[in-house]
Amino acid sequence: MLTRKQHELLMFIDRHLEETGFSPSFDEMKTALDLKSKSGIHRLITALEERGFLRRRAHRARALEVVRRPGSAAPPRIEMNEEASPNVVQGNFGRPAKQDKPNAITLPLFGRIAAGSPIEALRDQGQGVDVPVGMLGSGEHYALEVAGDSMIEAGILDGDTVVIQRGDSAENGDIVVALVDENEVTLKRLRRRGNSVALEPANRNHETRIFGPDRVQVQGRLVGLIRSY
């Protein structure tokens, strides 16, 4: 069963696809549902994906597909194989790698974590990175290139590629991708201190930043790291 907002968003996307041939932007969806932030749309889309109503196409901006409408039967599970389209993501936010790399999955590489670059703005990069299957858990994943030295004491260096499990929650002490004030993305350790949220660097030359709980939105949790020598 869908919530009212989930149903409204699904039907809006469906109408927009029929009228224009492509899915609406996050701003259009936010306006249509009268929400204050894109993070609310992000959570609704994730919920609709998990329930089998929406499918997201990899490496393409504004590429949502309505799989089924409320009241229709759930679609049969589609297994990926050589006949399947490589642009359709099944199961997690990555597609099976080529047959010569059976133990790897290609994840979308969104870009560099830098101030003023929200995750949604980085989405259409058209690049990917091969990641060992054993590094990934359940759910959706993506990769980001690290910019800066704020996490070097956690072994995360400038130019490293981090593997992120997408989600909007994290445990105290997790290293997360955090969206601050809806316009800045940073990779930091998350600490909750009463009614505040602290984003801690792993570099004694950088300062911990403290925010109100409504100013920080978790967009994923660090699960792996790839380094080129």
Side-chain angles (χ1 to χ4, degrees), residues 3-194:
T3 66
R4 180 173 60 85
K5 284 296 185 183
Q6 289 168 359
H7 184 276
E8 287 179 6
L9 180 61
L10 181 65
M11 300 315 295
F12 175 69
I13 293 172
D14 190 49
R15 289 194 302 271
H16 197 282
L17 283 167
E18 288 185 355
E19 294 171 1
T20 67
F22 54 87
S23 55
S25 68
F26 271 62
D27 281 324
E28 290 170 330
M29 289 185 276
K30 179 169 68 75
T31 300
L33 270 68
D34 194 27
L35 295 180
K36 295 182 179 179
S37 70
K38 295 180 184 179
S39 62
I41 296 296
H42 176 83
R43 288 192 290 270
L44 290 172
I45 288 176
T46 298
L48 289 169
E49 286 184 284
E50 291 173 347
R51 288 163 174 77
F53 288 92
L54 283 182
R55 179 181 297 144
R56 198 192 309 256
R57 294 185 180 274
H59 311 314
R60 294 172 57 186
R62 300 179 63 173
L64 294 171
E65 175 186 358
V66 175
V67 179
R68 65 187 178 107
R69 298 176 178 83
S72 62
R77 180 178 177 82
I78 301 173
E79 298 294 337
M80 292 296 293
N81 54 43
E82 294 183 63
E83 302 298 324
S85 167
N87 286 328
V88 178
V89 179
Q90 305 291 340
N92 68 23
F93 205 44
R95 56 183 172 80
K98 297 179 181 178
Q99 293 299 309
D100 61 345
K101 295 183 179 179
N103 296 318
I105 283 181
T106 301
L107 296 182
L109 179 63
F110 286 166
R112 292 172 67 85
I113 301 179
S117 299
I119 287 295
E120 295 302 330
L122 296 171
R123 185 172 299 283
D124 188 27
Q125 294 295 316
Q127 301 181 48
V129 59
D130 289 337
V131 174
V133 173
M135 187 180 291
L136 308 177
S138 60
E140 300 178 354
H141 298 77
Y142 57 87
L144 288 167
E145 184 181 349
V146 176
D149 62 356
S150 66
M151 297 300 290
I152 58 174
E153 291 168 17
I156 303 171
L157 308 182
D158 182 60
D160 283 349
T161 298
V162 289
V163 178
I164 305 298
Q165 183 181 49
R166 183 176 164 190
D168 58 8
S169 63
E171 297 294 328
N172 227 23
D174 282 348
I175 296 176
V176 303
V177 174
L179 177 64
V180 180
D181 293 334
E182 299 187 19
N183 67 1
E184 176 190 349
V185 165
T186 185
L187 184 73
K188 294 292 185 292
R189 194 177 299 278
L190 179 75
R191 301 283 187 191
R192 294 182 177 88
R193 301 178 177 178

